Amino acid sequence: MDYYSLKMRASQHVGEGENSHEQHISGAERIVGRDSVEAVCAAMVRRAMNHSKGDPDFINVKIEKVHESDIQVLKSLPVTRVDVETWQEGLEKAFGLITPLMALRQAQGPCDGAKKFKEKLQDLLRETFPMRGAMLYDIATGNRLEPDKDRGVRATYMDALHSSEVDGCKNHFNEAIVLATKVANAPGMVAEFCVSDDPNYVTGYVASKELGYVRIMKMKEMGDENGGRIFLFDSRKASAEECIEYLQKKKVLVDVVGRT
Ligand code: WAQ
Ligand code: MG
Ligand code: MG
């Protein structure tokens, strides 16, 4: 069977004269069977036309055929859920899961290493706020490896395997479990750290092949529009080029098996 990749992005003109530029409003991507192309395309346009960020001046829909033999099917990461009272507690939990992975690989003393890495992660997270993509951080050298540091690296060409969903609404969990599963399987990937940039969505996650997908129910204050993603990568295990190639080019369908 042949599949089609569909990608939509919508933007709006802002500013006047020399300062005018296109501002991103909404985007979506799917990989679907031939029979669903038309309906999914319509749903994407509906999503673009009804976004809270405003009316689009420009919508781009790209449709590409994908051969089944080029698709990798992955089982979704196992999902666990961490309930917390406050977003501060949630962030602490997230840092607590990630720092040992950083420390381990650098053979640091566990105590002093953990503190150092927590501060490092906090700084990195702040740096991701203006980015459209994710930071690719090399835990072996402490270097950032995104070719474009302002934009970051974007994972693309992925969808849920049996996704019949054609509505125009964003489902944060469904999109995130697909992305996180693809990312965790990229060459050299150690872990991912994610906070949504949607002001009304405070749940975030940390994920890796070892940790699975750990949903942390509060990771920021309600109303805060700062979010971002950090891909922690180890350049001793793979090259940045291989990893980025996988994230940006490999077609992946994720078999999503349950949620909490
Ligand atoms: N590749 C890389 N980075 C991305 C991508 C992508 N395809 N899409 C978004 N980002 C970056 C970008 O900088 C955003 O600002 C940031 O991640 C957050 O993206 O289990 O909604 O789409 O309920 O706002 C987690 C779900 C939701 C938790 C995450 O992220 C749960 C979310 P958002
Ligand atoms: Mg961002
Ligand atoms: Mg968002």
Side-chain angles (χ1 to χ4, degrees), residues 128-129 131-132 197 227:
T128 67
F129 290 164
M131 295 166 67
R132 281 254 291 120
D197 59 15

Side-chain angles (χ1 to χ4, degrees), residues 77-259:
L77 296 173
V79 178
T80 53
R81 166 185 170 137
V82 177
D83 288 293
V84 288
E85 293 290 325
T86 64
W87 63 267
Q88 290 91 339
E89 187 190 338
L91 263 188
E92 283 298 320
K93 287 253 159 71
F95 290 141
L97 288 165
I98 293 286
T99 48
L101 301 176
M102 299 170 83
L104 198 70
R105 261 88 177 180
Q106 293 209 338
Q108 290 273 341
C111 297
D112 122 83
K115 181 158 177 289
K116 192 176 112 206
F117 290 121
K118 186 183 139 187
E119 279 159 21
K120 184 73 202 170
L121 267 179
Q122 280 170 320
D123 292 344
L124 294 176
L125 182 61
R126 218 169 296 122
E127 287 175 49
T128 67
F129 290 164
M131 295 166 67
R132 281 254 291 120
M135 179 184 289
L136 186 64
Y137 180 79
D138 183 2
I139 64 163
T141 62
N143 294 331
R144 291 178 55 176
L145 302 175
E146 316 91 79
D148 178 341
K149 307 267 183 309
D150 293 327
R151 174 181 180 271
V153 174
R154 285 186 63 87
T156 182
Y157 289 116
M158 64 219 164
D159 198 355
L161 179 59
H162 302 293
S163 170
S164 57
E165 189 189 314
V166 287
D167 70 19
C169 284
K170 169 160 178 158
N171 181 311
H172 291 81
F173 172 81
N174 287 345
E175 290 183 14
I177 186 73
V178 167
L179 186 149
T181 300
K182 182 179 183 190
V183 169
N185 281 277
M189 194 58 65
V190 175
E192 179 190 354
F193 187 99
C194 171
V195 180
S196 177
D197 59 15
D198 302 10
N200 298 324
Y201 204 81
V202 298
T203 300
Y205 67 86
V206 298
S208 76
K209 273 193 189 165
E210 292 85 19
L211 294 171
Y213 179 96
V214 185
R215 306 184 74 196
I216 301 177
M217 300 315 285
K218 280 182 213 151
M219 276 179 76
K220 68 171 187 184
E221 199 171 7
M222 185 59 88
D224 186 350
E225 58 186 30
N226 288 320
R229 278 188 161 93
I230 304 169
F231 297 162
L232 296 163
F233 167 80
D234 188 341
S235 61
R236 291 162 295 193
K237 294 193 196 160
S239 71
E241 291 71 30
E242 272 179 272
C243 179
I244 293 171
E245 167 87 12
Y246 183 91
L247 293 170
Q248 295 184 341
K249 302 271 173 66
K250 185 69 193 172
K251 279 79 181 174
V252 168
L253 282 171
V254 177
D255 192 1
V256 180
V257 284
R259 70 172 290 180

